[in-house]
Amino acid sequence: MGKNQQQQKICYVNTGPGQKPGVSKFFKKDFLFKFILFFSGFLVFLLVLSIFVSLILNSVPSLKEFGLKFFVSKTWDPVFEQFGALPFITGTLLTSFLAILITIPFSLAISIYLAEFTKHGFYPGFLKNSIDLLAGVPSVVYGFFGIFVIVPVIRYLQIKLHIEPYGVGIFTASIILSIMIIPFSSSLGREIIEMVPAEIKEAAYSLGSTRFEVIKYVILPYARSGITAGILLALGRAIGETMAVTMVIGNSNMMPESIFSPSNTMASVIANEFTEAVTSIHLSSLIEIGVVLFLVTTMISITGKIIIKKFAVHQ
Amino acid sequence: MKKIFKVMLGVVMMLLMVNVSKADDKELIGAGATFPYPLYSKMFDVYYKEHGIKVNYSAIGSGGGIRQLKEKTVDFGGTDAFLSDQQIKEMGADIVHIPVCMGAVVLAYNMPGIKTLYLTPDIVADMFLGKIKKWNDPKIQKINPKEKLPDTNIVTVHRSDGSGTTFIFTDYLSKISNEWQSKVGKGTSVNWPIGLGGKGNSGVAGLIKNVPYSIGYVELIYALSNKIPFATLQNKSGVFIEPSLTTTSKAGDVKLPDDMRVSITDTDAKDGYSISGFTWIIVYKKQNYGNRSYERAKTLVNLLWWMVHQGQKYAEELHYAPLSKQALMKAENLIKSITYNGKQIMN
Amino acid sequence: MENIRKRILKDRLFTLIVIVLSFTACIPLLAILGFIIKNGISSINLDFFIHLPKPVGEHGGGISNAIIGTFIVVGIAFVIATPLSLLAGIYLAENKKNFFSDVLRVGIDILASIPSIVIGIIAYLWVVKPMKSFSALSGGIALAIIMLPVVIKSTEETLSMVPDSLREASLALGVPYFRTILKVIVPAGLSGIITGILIAISRIAGETAPLLFTAFGNPFMNLNVTKPVNTIPLVVFNYSTSPYEQWHKIAWAAALVLIAIVFVFNFLARIISKKWKTKF
């Protein structure tokens, strides 16, 4: 009886004439369908792999020519065909880190408000809608706004401070970037804060803590790793941003001297020079920068997500 | 589920319908120099109205024009930097440079209240090398006795993209300054020691206009149409020349080579402006490459012929110098040398 | 009691700071909207939508070619990305604990984090170079790659929320697997799926970087997908970085049109997600 128990689950529905009971006449179609599903997933996977391989293959000329020197050389000289990416790596790091620094207080405030304060009412609704709309504004519109509104303001400040009135530069780009990542980082922050278990919050409140104290001594320390991961992910976003940065960063391929210097980021130099790189070594150097962008954003994204997963499971 | 499929079907149908529009050997694609862009923009607009042929020209800089022609993604390239022998070899086939007009690269500046500015070659080189840092540097002040120059830092502006205008300017600087020649050299994209970068002639003009105490190099029309003042430059013969249509033409008044690959900067002409240059349309000499049709090649050649003849009348009002008789003759010969399957296209 | 008062004061102060900071963060949005509406509205008229751009320095002209171009590249991206991402999303929702699913999810996260300019490089290498021409097709493919992870993720999330009981009931009634998915599960999650697609569309409609060297731009109207095409974000980029007053005005108006499109799609997505949502 034991072995035959399995065979007891014979289905007589959906069997066609001349077919064995238990075998659905849709068996083939189901199999085909499941295969199509799997194949679609496989195609997507193949896509990601091919992107990586394509980028690497096309940067081989400059990889061979410059090797590791590419990342520490300051010279980007198309005439003498010497390409070094340090100015752009520096520009990228400076703008992104500065943008994160600027955005933290604001994003944190929004996350805390939406997670811990009133959830319904005029102001939360207004806040949520504003942030959603902010998230939908295209990068090029931010850049446009930057050119015509932010740059003159910065220029005015620079004149007052007696520094070169470029208007454009790293500082301006950081400001625009910080505005752009507010929606992303605040929604991430809010998710993290909402993951803090209610029990420990309520325990703190029942001991008589004010909301500020609960946030400062309970929620933030608990959510610390998650918030760090959130900052990391926001950094990844900022690094890849192209249009708004290209429009306000001043487009200089020299090492920046201060945060008010004009500069270029890895993304903006590709946007500037890609259609015009005449020699194959110039082109492959630009593609190599694309590889760096790909790797950096991938690593940041994976690391951030791992930290958040650990944090979420950890309760 | 059905709804989504229906929507998609609708979109696909629309796209297919839209695509059945005629194969367009009636449309040419070009890319390149921003230097002559105002003129080309006008020329192609007129050509479309008169001949029904659309010419889609994207001003992405001479470097872009050369590259896209190399990749054969465009029918013609626009460049103010003629190709070197090495570059022609890299193109893989013979290239014809058709001159269209001449223009002046001027030093446009932004100094409130300063109406005229005289500069010498050495000063220009030193400014862009970063050796002269302030506007009221004695060297500059000396040749501008009438103006009180401000005690501020000079902000130089250059091209961030691959540019023929840069080529003309750096070609000039290499000729008049040994230091520039060895440190920076000439090219469509160079390693600028200092300064802000703008995209296209228009980007540079925009920056100069908005950044006080800046100076940069742009094609004459960009300075004029944006009402930006520009400098009067001392030429090889020692005369201070104001860039204009006339002085540009005079600079081009030299013996021209048959292939028209010539630099006319630092001209010997006594009353010529030193930073002048030709701008060319570059095409492949043998037009039967890829799957180019004869019709397409013929359309291209007709356009070129029109540009050097009837198109020339639009040059002057935009402050470009039209081709001289000598240049026109060379241009005609060059156009006639374009072949398809070995046969001359223009007859 | 001094201590209590201090603590309450700190709490109130903190609340104030949070509200001030969060409000300040919204000011840029109001500023952006304000400036764009103020500067763009004056150039919006029927001509603007119907006419082609004029040559440099001449008055008037519109962005009709860019509007059509935007539709074309977004349409191509939609047709390419939607079926693939729906199927992949269904696969992931149906195979939650598979090794391959985990690998795929990582891959999709990677795809989502690739900067759009790098996707532009890929489209250039894969489509523009072999075709030897810039084209709306290459732009559409680049946008499709950007759209994939967005729709896959939202499809997976939506379908995962459909309770298992629904699937099991259907299968128990003898409905074959493929019909269960297509006619029971997917329709149940339709609102979420459509929302995801709408949001993805509004995102790619505003993309510029990948189109710089794929769609390339075109001063004329072009309906042929194998040729370059102009799009509204490209107009904003090219015209705003020029020194011509006339072009700046057009750029403001184009930015206004772009924001309007994006907001309309967002709004639609929100309505659909509320009204059509099947409750379990």
Side-chain angles (χ1 to χ4, degrees), chain B residues 1 52 83 122 161 166 203 206 208 237 297 307 328 332 334 344:
Chain B
M1 201 60 188
L83 300 178
D122 302 318
D161 49 334
T166 299
I208 300 176
S237 318
M307 283 174 82
L328 178 57
E332 286 180 344
L334 286 166
Q344 181 189 357

Side-chain angles (χ1 to χ4, degrees), chain A residues 41-101:
Chain A
F42 185 68
L43 274 182
V44 175
F45 177 70
L46 213 57
L47 178 70
V48 182
L49 217 57
S50 334
I51 289 181
F52 182 61
V53 167
S54 237
L55 288 174
I56 298 259
L57 282 181
N58 280 286
S59 50
V60 159
S62 68
L63 277 171
K64 281 208 307 207
E65 175 81 19
F66 305 115
L68 283 173
K69 247 188 355 167
F70 188 71
F71 302 102
V72 290
S73 161
K74 298 186 198 166
T75 317
W76 183 267
D77 192 338
V79 175
F80 298 115
E81 297 203 334
Q82 283 305 315
F83 294 104
L86 194 61
F88 314 120
I89 298 179
T90 315
T92 308
L93 289 175
L94 281 176
T95 48
S96 310
F97 275 112
L98 203 51
I100 298 282
L101 273 173

Side-chain angles (χ1 to χ4, degrees), chain A residues 182-216:
Chain A
I182 287 179
F184 180 71
S185 50
S186 61
S187 80
L188 210 54
R190 177 167 149 219
E191 272 176 37
I192 305 271
I193 294 182
E194 280 174 354
M195 280 198 232
V196 175
E199 300 93 53
I200 57 175
K201 288 193 289 196
E202 282 162 20
Y205 278 122
S206 65
L207 286 173
S209 311
T210 62
R211 181 157 49 200
F212 169 60
E213 285 159 356
V214 172
I215 293 178
K216 179 171 173 194

